[in-house]
């Protein structure tokens, strides 16, 4: 089928390449000419494992093209996805500016198209957004009634760093549909994926995305709180999590304790859900507490460090800057909170990351960026903050150059018996 995707950021581009891998023809749309040119040359606009090769192949096979022209994209496809960002406003509520703008443009494009066309929302939007904002904009600018064109909400469940794998191996596809006709088309483009397809109404699909991220974040905050107690008791929380995870009602995944979750999604989405709940007169105490717990978690490693040394004037090696391994993304990275706190306290940071240095440099231009050896050389302490595989290879002698052998992990990385004298934030 012919698909267009409006917004060529992280979700848009990965979804485009995913659909191309299923044999569809995809038109990517973006307002930024530079991004469009890059995509047309097979160059990804973001770093994502495996994306470059697949994008290149899809562009060469003419399965993916990019344009700034929404009208053209709608005319030459049967379904258009809205995949633009939904950032947080200062008060935590969702900023729907881009969704609204794209809905308006799609409405205008629908006015100029004769045949049936489906608009599918892929952006994460709070329940009610498609019905209350997207559809009215589409109707106003197309001069048509929803039903004359199709509408769906198809949330994404892609992890950064594993997005293509997740696209091609989903646990499920959720389709929120205006009517059967729209849902059938959305289902058809996914038919090669052998996975359960759950067809719901639009509002329910929107909520499923928030509920999924909230559950995942809850598991992390809960294991972190258990970990904080374990730490005081001298218990390894990973031993606890291993056994707890055997209970199938709980499950083994997302029980890794540490300095808390980061990234562009969990905090943003949970804050937006809390704001929506507030407007509805609900007070979800547990969900609010999860965010509070997570906010405190990066500071735990500084508490631990300060029990061992005064940080003022000390050289602290920080290994790992991205919010997790496999990405260059530093949005909401716990490393940023830790670097800010340590520099405020007068420490000198020497930082290394396999991928995220350039992004972190924009936030902290004044700290030193170096390779692992230089970071550790004469360091008074070393903090490991991202679980990159590269750090798992570190050996005991790699830390010999430190002035003080204080090694603290914010993520479980170092093998237990290989490196002497390291300690974890919650183990
Ligand atoms: C998350 C969800 O996992 C995706 O399903 C969802 O589609 C995406 O948000 C989104 O809403 O777009 P992502 O933010 O890429 O994906 O990253 P995760 O792999 O979920 O990790 C999030 C954070 O939790 C990272 O900082 C990670 O280090 C941390 N984490 C994860 C833990 O601290 N412990 C764990 O056990 C697992």
């Amino acid at each position: 089928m012919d698909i267009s995707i409006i917004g060529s950021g992280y979700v848009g581009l990965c979804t485009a390449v995913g659909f191309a891998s299923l044999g569809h023809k995809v038109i990517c749309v973006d307002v930024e000419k530079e991004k469009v040119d890059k995509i047309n040359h097979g160059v990804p606009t973001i770093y994502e494992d495996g994306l470059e090769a697949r994008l290149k192949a899809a562009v060469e096979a003419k399965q993916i093209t990019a344009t700034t022209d929404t009208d053209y994209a709608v005319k030459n496809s049967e379904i258009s996805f809205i995949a633009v960002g939904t950032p947080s406003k200062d008060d935590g509520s969702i900023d729907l500016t881009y969704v609204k703008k794209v809905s308006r443009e799609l409405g205008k494009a629908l006015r100029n198209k004769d045949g049936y066309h489906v608009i599918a929302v892929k952006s994460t939007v709070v329940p009610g957004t498609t019905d209350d904002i997207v559809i009215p904009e589409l109707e106003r600018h197309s001069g048509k009634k929803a039903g004359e064109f199709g509408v769906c909400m198809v949330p994404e469940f892609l992890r950064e760093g594993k997005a293509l794998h997740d696209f091609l191996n989903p646990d499920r596809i959720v389709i929120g549909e205006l009517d059967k006709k729209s849902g059938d088309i959305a289902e058809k483009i996914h038919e090669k994926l052998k996975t359960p397809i759950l067809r719901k109404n639009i509002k329910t699909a929107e909520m499923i995305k928030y509920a999924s991220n909230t559950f995942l974040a809850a598991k992390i905050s809960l294991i972190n709180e258990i970990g904080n107690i374990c730490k005081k008791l001298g218990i390894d929380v990973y031993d606890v999590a291993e056994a707890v995870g055997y209970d199938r009602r709980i499950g083994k995944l997302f029980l890794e304790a540490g300095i808390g979750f980061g990234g562009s999604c969990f905090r943003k989405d949970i804050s937006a859900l809390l704001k929506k709940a507030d407007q509805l007169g609900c007070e979800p105490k547990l969900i609010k507490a999860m965010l509070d717990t997570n906010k405190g978690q990066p500071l735990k490693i500084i508490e631990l460090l300060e029990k061992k040394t005064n940080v003022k004037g000390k050289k602290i090696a920080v290994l790992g800057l991205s919010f997790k391994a496999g990405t260059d993304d530093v949005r909401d990275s716990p490393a940023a909170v830790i670097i800010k706190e340590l520099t405020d306290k007068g420490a000198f940071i020497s930082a290394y990351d396999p991928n995220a240095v350039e992004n972190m440099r924009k936030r902290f231009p004044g700290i030193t960026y170096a390779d692992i050896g230089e970071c550790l050389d004469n360091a008074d302490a070393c903090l490991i903050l991202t679980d990159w595989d590269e750090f798992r290879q570190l050996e005991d002698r790699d830390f010999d150059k430190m002035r003080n052998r204080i090694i603290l992990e914010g993520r479980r990385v170092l093998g237990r018996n290989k490196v002497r004298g390291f300690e974890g934030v919650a183990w």
Side-chain angles (χ1 to χ4, degrees), residues 10-11 14 46-49 156-166 262-266 322-331 359:
Y10 181 77
V11 170
C14 292
I46 48 144
Y47 171 80
E48 178 64 31
D49 194 26
E156 54 89 12
F157 302 102
L158 309 177
R159 289 165 299 169
E160 278 191 45
K162 299 262 188 318
L164 289 177
H165 172 271
D166 288 352
S264 63
C265 302
F266 284 170
S322 55
F323 80 95
K324 65 172 189 178
T327 174
D328 63 351
D329 196 342
V330 298
R331 283 176 290 174
N359 284 338

PDB file of all heavy atoms in Angstrom, residues 10-11 14 46-49 156-166 262-266 322-331 359:
ATOM      1  N   TYR A  10      12.024  10.941  15.119  1.00  0.00           N
ATOM      2  CA  TYR A  10      12.364   9.596  15.550  1.00  0.00           C
ATOM      3  C   TYR A  10      11.281   8.570  15.182  1.00  0.00           C
ATOM      4  O   TYR A  10      11.537   7.585  14.495  1.00  0.00           O
ATOM      5  CB  TYR A  10      12.612   9.634  17.065  1.00  0.00           C
ATOM      6  CG  TYR A  10      12.984   8.306  17.573  1.00  0.00           C
ATOM      7  CD1 TYR A  10      14.264   7.824  17.361  1.00  0.00           C
ATOM      8  CD2 TYR A  10      12.051   7.509  18.187  1.00  0.00           C
ATOM      9  CE1 TYR A  10      14.589   6.564  17.763  1.00  0.00           C
ATOM     10  CE2 TYR A  10      12.372   6.254  18.600  1.00  0.00           C
ATOM     11  CZ  TYR A  10      13.640   5.783  18.389  1.00  0.00           C
ATOM     12  OH  TYR A  10      13.956   4.537  18.768  1.00  0.00           O
ATOM     13  N   VAL A  11      10.065   8.831  15.639  1.00  0.00           N
ATOM     14  CA  VAL A  11       8.976   7.872  15.412  1.00  0.00           C
ATOM     15  C   VAL A  11       8.626   7.817  13.922  1.00  0.00           C
ATOM     16  O   VAL A  11       8.458   6.731  13.349  1.00  0.00           O
ATOM     17  CB  VAL A  11       7.734   8.252  16.265  1.00  0.00           C
ATOM     18  CG1 VAL A  11       6.518   7.427  15.858  1.00  0.00           C
ATOM     19  CG2 VAL A  11       8.026   8.056  17.746  1.00  0.00           C
ATOM     20  N   CYS A  14      11.465   5.971  11.814  1.00  0.00           N
ATOM     21  CA  CYS A  14      11.532   4.528  12.119  1.00  0.00           C
ATOM     22  C   CYS A  14      10.281   3.818  11.601  1.00  0.00           C
ATOM     23  O   CYS A  14      10.359   2.694  11.089  1.00  0.00           O
ATOM     24  CB  CYS A  14      11.692   4.294  13.623  1.00  0.00           C
ATOM     25  SG  CYS A  14      13.290   4.842  14.228  1.00  0.00           S
ATOM     26  N   ILE A  46      18.430  10.781  12.510  1.00  0.00           N
ATOM     27  CA  ILE A  46      18.647  10.409  13.909  1.00  0.00           C
ATOM     28  C   ILE A  46      19.537   9.165  13.943  1.00  0.00           C
ATOM     29  O   ILE A  46      19.655   8.472  12.933  1.00  0.00           O
ATOM     30  CB  ILE A  46      17.320  10.053  14.631  1.00  0.00           C
ATOM     31  CG1 ILE A  46      16.510   9.081  13.754  1.00  0.00           C
ATOM     32  CG2 ILE A  46      16.510  11.299  14.960  1.00  0.00           C
ATOM     33  CD1 ILE A  46      15.777   8.071  14.520  1.00  0.00           C
ATOM     34  N   TYR A  47      20.122   8.888  15.118  1.00  0.00           N
ATOM     35  CA  TYR A  47      20.895   7.656  15.253  1.00  0.00           C
ATOM     36  C   TYR A  47      19.976   6.554  15.772  1.00  0.00           C
ATOM     37  O   TYR A  47      19.304   6.725  16.782  1.00  0.00           O
ATOM     38  CB  TYR A  47      22.059   7.859  16.244  1.00  0.00           C
ATOM     39  CG  TYR A  47      22.755   6.557  16.570  1.00  0.00           C
ATOM     40  CD1 TYR A  47      23.679   6.019  15.688  1.00  0.00           C
ATOM     41  CD2 TYR A  47      22.434   5.857  17.724  1.00  0.00           C
ATOM     42  CE1 TYR A  47      24.281   4.805  15.954  1.00  0.00           C
ATOM     43  CE2 TYR A  47      23.031   4.637  18.000  1.00  0.00           C
ATOM     44  CZ  TYR A  47      23.958   4.122  17.119  1.00  0.00           C
ATOM     45  OH  TYR A  47      24.545   2.924  17.382  1.00  0.00           O
ATOM     46  N   GLU A  48      19.930   5.455  15.050  1.00  0.00           N
ATOM     47  CA  GLU A  48      19.137   4.314  15.523  1.00  0.00           C
ATOM     48  C   GLU A  48      19.742   3.050  14.921  1.00  0.00           C
ATOM     49  O   GLU A  48      20.002   3.007  13.709  1.00  0.00           O
ATOM     50  CB  GLU A  48      17.673   4.494  15.102  1.00  0.00           C
ATOM     51  CG  GLU A  48      16.744   3.369  15.490  1.00  0.00           C
ATOM     52  CD  GLU A  48      16.579   3.171  16.991  1.00  0.00           C
ATOM     53  OE1 GLU A  48      16.659   4.149  17.743  1.00  0.00           O
ATOM     54  OE2 GLU A  48      16.387   2.019  17.410  1.00  0.00           O
ATOM     55  N   ASP A  49      19.935   2.054  15.764  1.00  0.00           N
ATOM     56  CA  ASP A  49      20.585   0.827  15.327  1.00  0.00           C
ATOM     57  C   ASP A  49      19.912   0.246  14.077  1.00  0.00           C
ATOM     58  O   ASP A  49      18.703   0.019  14.076  1.00  0.00           O
ATOM     59  CB  ASP A  49      20.513  -0.181  16.493  1.00  0.00           C
ATOM     60  CG  ASP A  49      21.441  -1.350  16.266  1.00  0.00           C
ATOM     61  OD1 ASP A  49      22.438  -1.166  15.550  1.00  0.00           O
ATOM     62  OD2 ASP A  49      21.151  -2.431  16.793  1.00  0.00           O
ATOM     63  N   GLU A 156       2.401   4.010  19.027  1.00  0.00           N
ATOM     64  CA  GLU A 156       3.668   3.294  18.808  1.00  0.00           C
ATOM     65  C   GLU A 156       4.203   2.785  20.151  1.00  0.00           C
ATOM     66  O   GLU A 156       3.997   3.404  21.183  1.00  0.00           O
ATOM     67  CB  GLU A 156       4.693   4.201  18.116  1.00  0.00           C
ATOM     68  CG  GLU A 156       4.973   5.542  18.803  1.00  0.00           C
ATOM     69  CD  GLU A 156       6.081   5.517  19.822  1.00  0.00           C
ATOM     70  OE1 GLU A 156       6.821   4.523  19.886  1.00  0.00           O
ATOM     71  OE2 GLU A 156       6.187   6.508  20.566  1.00  0.00           O
ATOM     72  N   PHE A 157       4.900   1.650  20.075  1.00  0.00           N
ATOM     73  CA  PHE A 157       5.511   1.078  21.281  1.00  0.00           C
ATOM     74  C   PHE A 157       6.981   0.791  20.985  1.00  0.00           C
ATOM     75  O   PHE A 157       7.489  -0.301  21.240  1.00  0.00           O
ATOM     76  CB  PHE A 157       4.773  -0.203  21.692  1.00  0.00           C
ATOM     77  CG  PHE A 157       3.293  -0.001  21.944  1.00  0.00           C
ATOM     78  CD1 PHE A 157       2.358  -0.384  21.004  1.00  0.00           C
ATOM     79  CD2 PHE A 157       2.854   0.605  23.113  1.00  0.00           C
ATOM     80  CE1 PHE A 157       0.998  -0.186  21.220  1.00  0.00           C
ATOM     81  CE2 PHE A 157       1.499   0.810  23.335  1.00  0.00           C
ATOM     82  CZ  PHE A 157       0.566   0.416  22.395  1.00  0.00           C
ATOM     83  N   LEU A 158       7.656   1.769  20.393  1.00  0.00           N
ATOM     84  CA  LEU A 158       9.042   1.566  19.952  1.00  0.00           C
ATOM     85  C   LEU A 158      10.014   2.077  21.000  1.00  0.00           C
ATOM     86  O   LEU A 158       9.902   3.218  21.442  1.00  0.00           O
ATOM     87  CB  LEU A 158       9.299   2.329  18.644  1.00  0.00           C
ATOM     88  CG  LEU A 158       8.297   2.115  17.508  1.00  0.00           C
ATOM     89  CD1 LEU A 158       8.652   3.006  16.316  1.00  0.00           C
ATOM     90  CD2 LEU A 158       8.255   0.651  17.086  1.00  0.00           C
ATOM     91  N   ARG A 159      10.971   1.233  21.372  1.00  0.00           N
ATOM     92  CA  ARG A 159      12.035   1.704  22.268  1.00  0.00           C
ATOM     93  C   ARG A 159      13.142   2.324  21.447  1.00  0.00           C
ATOM     94  O   ARG A 159      13.515   1.761  20.406  1.00  0.00           O
ATOM     95  CB  ARG A 159      12.639   0.529  23.059  1.00  0.00           C
ATOM     96  CG  ARG A 159      11.760  -0.058  24.106  1.00  0.00           C
ATOM     97  CD  ARG A 159      12.302  -1.397  24.555  1.00  0.00           C
ATOM     98  NE  ARG A 159      12.370  -2.360  23.451  1.00  0.00           N
ATOM     99  CZ  ARG A 159      12.990  -3.521  23.493  1.00  0.00           C
ATOM    100  NH1 ARG A 159      13.636  -3.878  24.577  1.00  0.00           N
ATOM    101  NH2 ARG A 159      12.993  -4.335  22.455  1.00  0.00           N
ATOM    102  N   GLU A 160      13.693   3.415  21.904  1.00  0.00           N
ATOM    103  CA  GLU A 160      14.857   3.982  21.230  1.00  0.00           C
ATOM    104  C   GLU A 160      15.981   2.965  21.260  1.00  0.00           C
ATOM    105  O   GLU A 160      16.183   2.286  22.271  1.00  0.00           O
ATOM    106  CB  GLU A 160      15.318   5.255  21.952  1.00  0.00           C
ATOM    107  CG  GLU A 160      14.517   6.457  21.550  1.00  0.00           C
ATOM    108  CD  GLU A 160      15.144   7.743  22.051  1.00  0.00           C
ATOM    109  OE1 GLU A 160      16.370   7.910  21.923  1.00  0.00           O
ATOM    110  OE2 GLU A 160      14.398   8.565  22.575  1.00  0.00           O
ATOM    111  N   GLY A 161      16.707   2.874  20.171  1.00  0.00           N
ATOM    112  CA  GLY A 161      17.815   1.912  20.121  1.00  0.00           C
ATOM    113  C   GLY A 161      17.354   0.552  19.633  1.00  0.00           C
ATOM    114  O   GLY A 161      18.144  -0.242  19.141  1.00  0.00           O
ATOM    115  N   LYS A 162      16.044   0.261  19.778  1.00  0.00           N
ATOM    116  CA  LYS A 162      15.512  -1.044  19.345  1.00  0.00           C
ATOM    117  C   LYS A 162      14.270  -0.820  18.481  1.00  0.00           C
ATOM    118  O   LYS A 162      13.434  -1.708  18.337  1.00  0.00           O
ATOM    119  CB  LYS A 162      15.099  -1.872  20.574  1.00  0.00           C
ATOM    120  CG  LYS A 162      16.201  -2.202  21.561  1.00  0.00           C
ATOM    121  CD  LYS A 162      16.706  -3.607  21.286  1.00  0.00           C
ATOM    122  CE  LYS A 162      17.678  -4.170  22.282  1.00  0.00           C
ATOM    123  NZ  LYS A 162      18.707  -3.344  22.785  1.00  0.00           N
ATOM    124  N   ALA A 163      14.164   0.374  17.925  1.00  0.00           N
ATOM    125  CA  ALA A 163      12.906   0.763  17.280  1.00  0.00           C
ATOM    126  C   ALA A 163      12.547  -0.133  16.091  1.00  0.00           C
ATOM    127  O   ALA A 163      11.390  -0.552  15.956  1.00  0.00           O
ATOM    128  CB  ALA A 163      12.970   2.220  16.840  1.00  0.00           C
ATOM    129  N   LEU A 164      13.533  -0.458  15.254  1.00  0.00           N
ATOM    130  CA  LEU A 164      13.195  -1.267  14.083  1.00  0.00           C
ATOM    131  C   LEU A 164      12.858  -2.694  14.486  1.00  0.00           C
ATOM    132  O   LEU A 164      11.915  -3.303  13.983  1.00  0.00           O
ATOM    133  CB  LEU A 164      14.354  -1.267  13.081  1.00  0.00           C
ATOM    134  CG  LEU A 164      14.539   0.075  12.376  1.00  0.00           C
ATOM    135  CD1 LEU A 164      15.732   0.032  11.451  1.00  0.00           C
ATOM    136  CD2 LEU A 164      13.284   0.456  11.600  1.00  0.00           C
ATOM    137  N   HIS A 165      13.617  -3.191  15.442  1.00  0.00           N
ATOM    138  CA  HIS A 165      13.318  -4.522  15.980  1.00  0.00           C
ATOM    139  C   HIS A 165      11.891  -4.532  16.552  1.00  0.00           C
ATOM    140  O   HIS A 165      11.100  -5.431  16.278  1.00  0.00           O
ATOM    141  CB  HIS A 165      14.336  -4.897  17.066  1.00  0.00           C
ATOM    142  CG  HIS A 165      13.963  -6.162  17.770  1.00  0.00           C
ATOM    143  ND1 HIS A 165      13.152  -6.178  18.885  1.00  0.00           N
ATOM    144  CD2 HIS A 165      14.248  -7.461  17.495  1.00  0.00           C
ATOM    145  CE1 HIS A 165      12.959  -7.428  19.260  1.00  0.00           C
ATOM    146  NE2 HIS A 165      13.624  -8.216  18.436  1.00  0.00           N
ATOM    147  N   ASP A 166      11.557  -3.510  17.321  1.00  0.00           N
ATOM    148  CA  ASP A 166      10.221  -3.449  17.937  1.00  0.00           C
ATOM    149  C   ASP A 166       9.122  -3.305  16.883  1.00  0.00           C
ATOM    150  O   ASP A 166       8.040  -3.873  17.017  1.00  0.00           O
ATOM    151  CB  ASP A 166      10.134  -2.281  18.931  1.00  0.00           C
ATOM    152  CG  ASP A 166      10.941  -2.545  20.200  1.00  0.00           C
ATOM    153  OD1 ASP A 166      11.422  -3.682  20.365  1.00  0.00           O
ATOM    154  OD2 ASP A 166      11.094  -1.621  21.015  1.00  0.00           O
ATOM    155  N   GLY A 262      14.983   7.644  32.288  1.00  0.00           N
ATOM    156  CA  GLY A 262      15.102   8.913  31.578  1.00  0.00           C
ATOM    157  C   GLY A 262      14.459   8.762  30.217  1.00  0.00           C
ATOM    158  O   GLY A 262      13.607   7.903  30.021  1.00  0.00           O
ATOM    159  N   GLY A 263      14.887   9.614  29.283  1.00  0.00           N
ATOM    160  CA  GLY A 263      14.355   9.511  27.932  1.00  0.00           C
ATOM    161  C   GLY A 263      13.238  10.503  27.679  1.00  0.00           C
ATOM    162  O   GLY A 263      12.782  11.197  28.582  1.00  0.00           O
ATOM    163  N   SER A 264      12.812  10.497  26.424  1.00  0.00           N
ATOM    164  CA  SER A 264      11.869  11.542  26.014  1.00  0.00           C
ATOM    165  C   SER A 264      10.431  11.176  26.317  1.00  0.00           C
ATOM    166  O   SER A 264       9.531  11.977  26.075  1.00  0.00           O
ATOM    167  CB  SER A 264      12.026  11.776  24.511  1.00  0.00           C
ATOM    168  OG  SER A 264      11.682  10.587  23.832  1.00  0.00           O
ATOM    169  N   CYS A 265      10.180   9.978  26.820  1.00  0.00           N
ATOM    170  CA  CYS A 265       8.778   9.536  26.885  1.00  0.00           C
ATOM    171  C   CYS A 265       8.182   9.419  28.277  1.00  0.00           C
ATOM    172  O   CYS A 265       7.132   9.998  28.551  1.00  0.00           O
ATOM    173  CB  CYS A 265       8.653   8.197  26.188  1.00  0.00           C
ATOM    174  SG  CYS A 265       9.189   8.267  24.494  1.00  0.00           S
ATOM    175  N   PHE A 266       8.828   8.645  29.152  1.00  0.00           N
ATOM    176  CA  PHE A 266       8.150   8.291  30.404  1.00  0.00           C
ATOM    177  C   PHE A 266       7.715   9.514  31.219  1.00  0.00           C
ATOM    178  O   PHE A 266       6.556   9.648  31.585  1.00  0.00           O
ATOM    179  CB  PHE A 266       9.030   7.373  31.261  1.00  0.00           C
ATOM    180  CG  PHE A 266       9.081   5.950  30.770  1.00  0.00           C
ATOM    181  CD1 PHE A 266       9.990   5.043  31.312  1.00  0.00           C
ATOM    182  CD2 PHE A 266       8.219   5.509  29.786  1.00  0.00           C
ATOM    183  CE1 PHE A 266      10.037   3.733  30.871  1.00  0.00           C
ATOM    184  CE2 PHE A 266       8.261   4.206  29.323  1.00  0.00           C
ATOM    185  CZ  PHE A 266       9.177   3.314  29.877  1.00  0.00           C
ATOM    186  N   SER A 322      24.215   9.113  27.733  1.00  0.00           N
ATOM    187  CA  SER A 322      22.873   8.956  27.161  1.00  0.00           C
ATOM    188  C   SER A 322      21.943   8.355  28.217  1.00  0.00           C
ATOM    189  O   SER A 322      22.408   7.746  29.179  1.00  0.00           O
ATOM    190  CB  SER A 322      22.927   8.042  25.937  1.00  0.00           C
ATOM    191  OG  SER A 322      23.521   6.811  26.279  1.00  0.00           O
ATOM    192  N   PHE A 323      20.627   8.511  28.014  1.00  0.00           N
ATOM    193  CA  PHE A 323      19.692   8.053  29.062  1.00  0.00           C
ATOM    194  C   PHE A 323      19.648   6.546  29.179  1.00  0.00           C
ATOM    195  O   PHE A 323      19.194   6.010  30.189  1.00  0.00           O
ATOM    196  CB  PHE A 323      18.296   8.659  28.854  1.00  0.00           C
ATOM    197  CG  PHE A 323      17.448   7.970  27.813  1.00  0.00           C
ATOM    198  CD1 PHE A 323      16.534   6.989  28.174  1.00  0.00           C
ATOM    199  CD2 PHE A 323      17.542   8.321  26.471  1.00  0.00           C
ATOM    200  CE1 PHE A 323      15.733   6.360  27.226  1.00  0.00           C
ATOM    201  CE2 PHE A 323      16.751   7.694  25.513  1.00  0.00           C
ATOM    202  CZ  PHE A 323      15.848   6.708  25.900  1.00  0.00           C
ATOM    203  N   LYS A 324      20.125   5.875  28.128  1.00  0.00           N
ATOM    204  CA  LYS A 324      20.276   4.411  28.189  1.00  0.00           C
ATOM    205  C   LYS A 324      21.232   4.009  27.080  1.00  0.00           C
ATOM    206  O   LYS A 324      21.574   4.837  26.217  1.00  0.00           O
ATOM    207  CB  LYS A 324      18.935   3.707  28.045  1.00  0.00           C
ATOM    208  CG  LYS A 324      18.298   3.919  26.684  1.00  0.00           C
ATOM    209  CD  LYS A 324      17.077   3.042  26.510  1.00  0.00           C
ATOM    210  CE  LYS A 324      16.592   3.098  25.083  1.00  0.00           C
ATOM    211  NZ  LYS A 324      15.456   2.256  24.822  1.00  0.00           N
ATOM    212  N   ALA A 325      21.649   2.756  27.083  1.00  0.00           N
ATOM    213  CA  ALA A 325      22.581   2.294  26.050  1.00  0.00           C
ATOM    214  C   ALA A 325      21.879   2.228  24.695  1.00  0.00           C
ATOM    215  O   ALA A 325      20.656   2.121  24.628  1.00  0.00           O
ATOM    216  CB  ALA A 325      23.129   0.923  26.426  1.00  0.00           C
ATOM    217  N   GLY A 326      22.658   2.334  23.628  1.00  0.00           N
ATOM    218  CA  GLY A 326      22.104   2.149  22.282  1.00  0.00           C
ATOM    219  C   GLY A 326      21.523   3.396  21.661  1.00  0.00           C
ATOM    220  O   GLY A 326      20.861   3.327  20.634  1.00  0.00           O
ATOM    221  N   THR A 327      21.740   4.553  22.284  1.00  0.00           N
ATOM    222  CA  THR A 327      21.205   5.789  21.728  1.00  0.00           C
ATOM    223  C   THR A 327      22.172   6.942  22.000  1.00  0.00           C
ATOM    224  O   THR A 327      23.040   6.829  22.861  1.00  0.00           O
ATOM    225  CB  THR A 327      19.805   6.096  22.347  1.00  0.00           C
ATOM    226  OG1 THR A 327      19.373   7.377  21.905  1.00  0.00           O
ATOM    227  CG2 THR A 327      19.830   6.113  23.854  1.00  0.00           C
ATOM    228  N   ASP A 328      21.998   8.032  21.242  1.00  0.00           N
ATOM    229  CA  ASP A 328      22.788   9.238  21.527  1.00  0.00           C
ATOM    230  C   ASP A 328      21.908  10.273  22.231  1.00  0.00           C
ATOM    231  O   ASP A 328      22.270  11.426  22.353  1.00  0.00           O
ATOM    232  CB  ASP A 328      23.362   9.832  20.227  1.00  0.00           C
ATOM    233  CG  ASP A 328      22.280  10.288  19.259  1.00  0.00           C
ATOM    234  OD1 ASP A 328      21.091   9.998  19.516  1.00  0.00           O
ATOM    235  OD2 ASP A 328      22.605  10.949  18.261  1.00  0.00           O
ATOM    236  N   ASP A 329      20.737   9.852  22.654  1.00  0.00           N
ATOM    237  CA  ASP A 329      19.738  10.771  23.210  1.00  0.00           C
ATOM    238  C   ASP A 329      20.061  11.085  24.678  1.00  0.00           C
ATOM    239  O   ASP A 329      20.244  10.164  25.485  1.00  0.00           O
ATOM    240  CB  ASP A 329      18.359  10.088  23.105  1.00  0.00           C
ATOM    241  CG  ASP A 329      17.218  11.065  23.287  1.00  0.00           C
ATOM    242  OD1 ASP A 329      17.447  12.161  23.822  1.00  0.00           O
ATOM    243  OD2 ASP A 329      16.084  10.716  22.901  1.00  0.00           O
ATOM    244  N   VAL A 330      20.123  12.360  24.993  1.00  0.00           N
ATOM    245  CA  VAL A 330      20.406  12.733  26.392  1.00  0.00           C
ATOM    246  C   VAL A 330      19.191  13.404  27.034  1.00  0.00           C
ATOM    247  O   VAL A 330      19.281  13.931  28.135  1.00  0.00           O
ATOM    248  CB  VAL A 330      21.640  13.663  26.507  1.00  0.00           C
ATOM    249  CG1 VAL A 330      22.891  12.970  25.998  1.00  0.00           C
ATOM    250  CG2 VAL A 330      21.444  14.984  25.753  1.00  0.00           C
ATOM    251  N   ARG A 331      18.041  13.349  26.344  1.00  0.00           N
ATOM    252  CA  ARG A 331      16.858  13.989  26.927  1.00  0.00           C
ATOM    253  C   ARG A 331      16.481  13.284  28.229  1.00  0.00           C
ATOM    254  O   ARG A 331      16.378  12.073  28.281  1.00  0.00           O
ATOM    255  CB  ARG A 331      15.682  13.943  25.943  1.00  0.00           C
ATOM    256  CG  ARG A 331      15.834  14.983  24.843  1.00  0.00           C
ATOM    257  CD  ARG A 331      14.725  14.865  23.843  1.00  0.00           C
ATOM    258  NE  ARG A 331      14.852  13.664  23.047  1.00  0.00           N
ATOM    259  CZ  ARG A 331      13.947  13.252  22.162  1.00  0.00           C
ATOM    260  NH1 ARG A 331      12.846  13.945  21.978  1.00  0.00           N
ATOM    261  NH2 ARG A 331      14.141  12.153  21.471  1.00  0.00           N
ATOM    262  N   ASN A 359      25.820  15.521  21.920  1.00  0.00           N
ATOM    263  CA  ASN A 359      24.549  16.020  22.475  1.00  0.00           C
ATOM    264  C   ASN A 359      24.725  16.574  23.885  1.00  0.00           C
ATOM    265  O   ASN A 359      24.118  17.568  24.255  1.00  0.00           O
ATOM    266  CB  ASN A 359      23.488  14.912  22.473  1.00  0.00           C
ATOM    267  CG  ASN A 359      22.944  14.696  21.076  1.00  0.00           C
ATOM    268  OD1 ASN A 359      23.028  15.592  20.230  1.00  0.00           O
ATOM    269  ND2 ASN A 359      22.412  13.521  20.813  1.00  0.00           N
TER     270      ASN A 359
END
